[in-house]
Amino acid sequence: MAQLISRLRVWRGAVLLLAGLYFLVPLAASVWFSIDDPSGISFDAYTGLLSAPGFTDSLVLTLELAAVTVVVLLLLLVPAMIAVRLGAPKLRPVLEVVCTLPLVVPPVALTAGLIGVLRWGPDYLMDTPFFQTFVFVQQPEFPLVLVVAYVLMALPLAYRALDSGLRAVDVRTLVEAARNCGASWPRAVLSVIVPNLRGALLNAAFLTLALVLGEFTTASILGYQPFAVWIYSVGNSQGQMSVAVSVLSLLITWVLLLLLAAAGRERRHKTAATS
Amino acid sequence: MTTAPTPVPAPAAADPSGGPGAPGAATASPAPRPARRRPRGGAWLATVPLLAFFLVGFGLPAVAIVTGAFTVSGDAETGAGSFTTANLTDSVQGAYWTALLSSVKLSALTALIGTVLGVPIAQAVLTSRFRLLREAVLTASGVLANFGGLPLAFAFVATLGNAGEVTRMFHLTDHGWSLYSFSGLTVTYLYFLVPLMVLTITPALEGLRVQWREAAQNNRATALQYWRHVALPILFPSLLGGFVLLFGSAFAAYATAAAMVGATVPLISRQIADALSGNVLVGQGNLALALSLDMIIVAVLVMAVYLPLQRRSARWLS
């Protein structure tokens, strides 16, 4: 038995070592690449970031897009998913299909379709009020059309995150209990269900945030310049800086996710202790 | 709403998806209850915004793809097009067909390698004693699998590109290495596909019961026999499901290949982007839509395998 365990440890160690090498070497090499200079070591690529043209604008635009996407997505998805559990179970397969279909359409294809719609719209709706809508969703300061695309792309991820969260909660019993105590419908959902879903909501929000931060395809084809597109354009002229931003963004996202996991764990311990 | 005479649901139908405690709770509730607590009539209203958004945001582009793929653009004045299959036949010929094939080949190969490599890593991480390692690997997987794309491409250019650190250190170019080749793309794609597999397969591996392993050991099965005859057959639907997910992810990837400038590997996603950005002849918008349709068809075929299998694996591993 002891022999078996030690053999398992050796095997596990070897796998982890190899995997660790494969995943850490590119990161380490990138860091080295970004500070490696003919005259020695230089952190110019990092210090020059803030003053680089377009950096702040694109980052702000991306964060705004991400915030709006998260809010819209959760406002659309959470009520629908709770309602399906409470009183409209027949719609559940519909919801499942709706939230899975975007997986089948690659971002490039979705973008092609969006461009098709955006080109078709003005041709036929020139004289109607709808024309203003087309202009409105494409304004360069805040392209709402990107939000539409991002919500669709994030739908499968968010659905799965929320679904696993809802599975762990007996929505029906909780709501009935709250209603028996005299709570109104909105109150029962807001102050009983939503707090129980905190972890799942955070998870869904975070996945969406990561997706929007990293999204490149749709924005670049449609000609907007959020963060990822900015990194790309920088890569053409200043290789070191693009690598520096890439490494930074990967690490920052990772740390955020670790913090989130820690927060979720705390919450679990608390609920386990009280139940 | 308060007076609606709703029939009391049968306990058995109450909660098909509930956890272990749910059936007991459902049967324990008293049969005759006041009927005012369920929003029988109105609950579906809450799904309307989502469905409406989906119809407009997803439905219109989908219609645009299908109709656009089958029309030839008429003169600019009237905008009237006529039905044709020329776009579609063009899209599966010549350079476009090569790109589609090479996309499928790259996705299938990387998905296969990713599936094979992901399982032992996930298992090693899961059984590790270090909680922190587990947390770190799973979150890092989440970042790489969902956020990857562009940063990843730049990291690989810095590492294994022509002037990359590792390339220079080991003089890889002399050995015929190039990042901008099929094998280079494969290595890069694996960097986000393996984490995706780790994420996907972890719940299934967690679902393998210790008792099954103990039972196998009590019957003097070796570790190899346990995996060969017990664990892998149970995991098989999850593995295939993971493979499909990886395939779809690699197939749809665009940023990674686009950022590795000078890519000599033709990929369908890049062809669509080129056609859309007008890097080629004007009026190829409909060809881009036809190519998109091709892509969707491939993805649908692959997904058609995934969904039923996911349900089957849920039977064992819940």
Side-chain angles (χ1 to χ4, degrees):
Chain A
M1 198 64 199
Q3 192 195 356
L4 182 75
I5 288 175
S6 71
R7 226 177 54 210
L8 267 179
R9 278 200 188 138
V10 169
W11 174 86
R12 192 190 301 148
V15 170
L16 288 178
L17 187 73
L18 283 177
L21 273 181
Y22 177 67
F23 284 98
L24 289 180
V25 164
L27 281 185
S30 303
V31 172
W32 181 244
F33 182 89
S34 63
I35 59 174
D36 192 13
D37 203 65
S39 56
I41 287 176
S42 139
F43 289 95
D44 287 353
Y46 292 90
T47 50
L49 261 185
L50 280 176
S51 57
F55 173 79
T56 345
D57 291 346
S58 62
L59 191 59
V60 168
L61 175 65
T62 303
L63 291 177
E64 285 171 358
L65 283 172
V68 176
T69 306
V70 168
V71 171
V72 170
L73 182 72
L74 291 183
L75 281 182
L76 289 174
L77 200 51
V78 174
M81 289 183 74
I82 292 179
V84 159
R85 266 153 212 271
L86 280 179
K90 278 187 192 154
L91 283 176
R92 193 178 182 145
V94 178
L95 209 63
E96 220 161 88
V97 168
V98 159
C99 294
T100 315
L101 267 184
L103 276 183
V104 186
V105 179
V108 191
L110 179 66
T111 312
L114 282 173
I115 288 182
V117 175
L118 292 177
R119 280 195 189 142
W120 171 85
D123 285 351
Y124 288 87
L125 304 170
M126 193 57 117
D127 305 322
T128 67
F130 287 113
F131 183 66
Q132 289 306 317
T133 321
F134 277 93
V135 178
F136 182 67
V137 298
Q138 293 186 77
Q139 53 182 329
E141 306 87 62
F142 195 79
L144 275 172
V145 60
L146 284 185
V147 173
V148 174
Y150 294 166
V151 169
L152 286 172
M153 287 180 210
L155 211 51
L157 291 173
Y159 177 79
R160 256 182 287 162
L162 288 173
D163 192 53
S164 64
L166 278 166
R167 258 171 223 274
V169 183
D170 190 349
V171 178
R172 202 168 257 226
T173 310
L174 283 179
V175 168
E176 270 175 24
R179 295 282 290 154
N180 275 343
C181 296
S184 64
W185 273 107
R187 197 182 149 91
V189 170
L190 276 182
S191 54
V192 177
I193 303 298
V194 171
N196 270 302
L197 288 179
R198 205 182 70 159
L201 287 171
L202 270 175
N203 215 351
F206 186 83
L207 286 175
T208 311
L209 181 75
L211 185 131
V212 176
L213 283 181
E215 208 285 330
F216 170 73
T217 313
T218 307
S220 81
I221 295 177
L222 288 178
Y224 300 108
Q225 203 183 41
F227 198 50
V229 182
W230 180 79
I231 299 182
Y232 178 74
S233 63
V234 165
N236 290 334
S237 52
Q238 293 161 285
Q240 277 193 322
M241 192 178 272
S242 69
V243 174
V245 184
S246 299
V247 174
L248 269 185
S249 54
L250 278 177
L251 289 181
I252 290 173
T253 325
W254 186 37
V255 169
L256 272 177
L257 199 58
L258 269 179
L259 289 177
L260 193 84
R265 197 169 52 225
E266 231 163 68
R267 175 82 193 168
R268 265 207 304 284
H269 281 315
K270 253 186 235 160
T271 39
T274 50
S275 65
Chain B
M1 187 192 289
T2 49
T3 54
T6 40
V8 176
D15 192 3
S17 68
T27 44
S29 54
R33 11 175 137 144
R36 56 169 255 268
R37 269 169 228 131
R38 291 218 180 122
R40 277 277 167 215
W44 60 272
L45 277 175
T47 64
V48 168
L50 178 66
L51 298 182
F53 174 88
F54 189 77
L55 276 184
V56 175
F58 189 82
L60 285 184
V63 170
I65 291 176
V66 176
T67 53
F70 284 107
T71 44
V72 64
S73 43
D75 50 321
E77 297 298 311
T78 59
S82 51
F83 177 84
T84 174
T85 52
N87 293 322
L88 273 185
T89 38
D90 282 353
S91 76
V92 290
Q93 271 172 6
Y96 298 114
W97 181 240
T98 318
L100 184 63
L101 276 189
S102 122
S103 268
V104 169
K105 211 170 93 185
L106 181 66
S107 313
L109 179 71
T110 50
L112 187 69
I113 303 177
T115 310
V116 173
L117 293 183
V119 176
I121 293 177
Q123 176 70 7
V125 170
L126 268 184
T127 54
S128 164
R129 286 161 298 161
F130 305 107
R131 202 197 166 101
L132 199 66
L133 174 81
R134 204 185 134 148
E135 209 79 72
V137 169
L138 288 182
T139 46
S141 299
V143 172
L144 288 176
N146 293 312
F147 174 71
L150 209 62
L152 205 60
F154 282 120
F156 266 85
V157 170
T159 310
L160 287 166
N162 283 339
E165 298 293 337
V166 174
T167 315
R168 281 190 295 173
M169 197 181 292
F170 296 102
H171 304 289
L172 289 177
T173 324
D174 302 343
H175 301 295
W177 166 259
S178 167
L179 183 65
Y180 318 110
S181 65
F182 193 86
S183 47
L185 268 187
T186 307
V187 173
T188 314
Y189 274 31
L190 284 178
Y191 204 80
F192 66 86
L193 290 179
V194 171
L196 185 59
M197 191 62 197
V198 170
L199 279 185
T200 317
I201 204 68
T202 297
L205 285 174
E206 275 176 332
L208 288 180
R209 308 235 167 97
V210 188
Q211 289 92 320
W212 295 341
R213 176 157 220 160
E214 285 169 357
Q217 268 171 1
N218 286 343
N219 289 319
R220 300 204 175 165
T222 61
L224 202 68
Q225 280 171 325
Y226 162 73
W227 279 100
R228 163 87 183 72
H229 295 289
V230 181
L232 283 181
I234 292 174
L235 287 178
F236 183 71
S238 307
L239 287 174
L240 212 57
F243 172 82
V244 167
L245 211 62
L246 261 58
F247 180 92
S249 189
F251 191 60
Y254 163 74
T256 316
M260 285 158 68
V261 189
T264 44
V265 185
L267 291 178
I268 184 86
S269 50
R270 285 182 50 109
Q271 302 263 17
I272 296 177
D274 281 350
L276 285 175
S277 341
N279 289 346
V280 278
L281 296 170
V282 185
Q284 285 213 311
N286 284 354
L287 185 63
L289 293 174
L291 287 168
S292 303
L293 192 60
D294 292 343
M295 248 186 132
I296 294 171
I297 290 171
V298 172
V300 165
L301 288 179
V302 172
M303 273 289 162
V305 183
Y306 170 60
L307 292 177
L309 278 173
Q310 201 191 25
R311 241 161 246 157
R312 233 186 75 187
S313 72
R315 212 189 307 159
W316 274 100
L317 301 163
S318 57

